[in-house]
Amino acid sequence: MPHDESVDVLEAVERQTAALFAQANRLVEALAARAGLDATRFRCLSVLCRQGPMSVRCLAAMAGLTDEEAAEVVGHLEHDGYAVRRREDGGNRVLVHPDRVAHRARVEPALRDLREAWYPLVRRRFDDLGLVVGLMAEGRRLSELSMTFRTQPEAFTM
């Protein structure tokens, strides 16, 4: 493949990936609204339920927030009954624990609605979905490579 075509293909991948992320964000916003949460709280609660108890700092890193933003979100989740902070390890660490009962009552119905709407669309296309998963994994590896380039010092300067 000539160089120009390679660049065109990579740019097309970048455009489609950006469109996919935008669509995924809209889906998260819709699911969050259906569960009665804003998108950030929905994401954080989902991370907590998937990964288990963690520090606010770890939650911030996993949710793409600053420590301060994550602490504010955790405060809201606590206030609304979705999470609780507990001291662990003899009081040296504070971990945020999700309230799984609240999650089941408010978030899981929205996720179930999504699965029920999604299943008829993909019922006979699991081979296609396997291909999509593989492409997404390769794309993630490519984005990890781009992070490597960002963290390296100006390697190409003279």
Side-chain angles (χ1 to χ4, degrees), residues 32-50:
R34 192 154 193 161
L37 297 167
D38 67 37
T40 304
R41 292 177 198 173
F42 183 86
R43 280 188 179 100
C44 288
L45 183 57
S46 296
V47 167
L48 287 168
C49 286
R50 243 188 349 265

Side-chain angles (χ1 to χ4, degrees), residues 10-28:
L10 287 174
E11 288 174 349
V13 167
E14 180 181 8
R15 281 191 307 276
Q16 292 301 321
T17 301
L20 178 63
F21 281 123
Q23 181 114 13
N25 283 332
R26 287 190 298 274
L27 177 61
V28 167

Side-chain angles (χ1 to χ4, degrees), residues 56-115:
V56 170
R57 176 169 282 163
C58 184
L59 178 61
M62 293 187 81
L65 302 171
T66 65
D67 291 353
E68 294 79 18
E69 290 168 331
E72 183 178 340
V73 169
V74 168
H76 289 293
L77 289 174
E78 281 184 307
H79 179 266
D80 295 339
Y82 288 105
V84 64
R85 290 179 231 216
R86 289 192 198 128
R87 290 208 171 271
E88 311 254 332
D89 298 333
N92 293 330
R93 281 177 35 146
V94 176
L95 298 182
V96 181
H97 292 257
D99 184 316
R100 296 195 185 277
V101 173
H103 182 268
R104 275 193 289 279
R106 298 283 302 276
V107 175
E108 286 184 10
L111 296 174
R112 186 172 42 255
D113 290 347
L114 173 64
R115 282 190 301 272

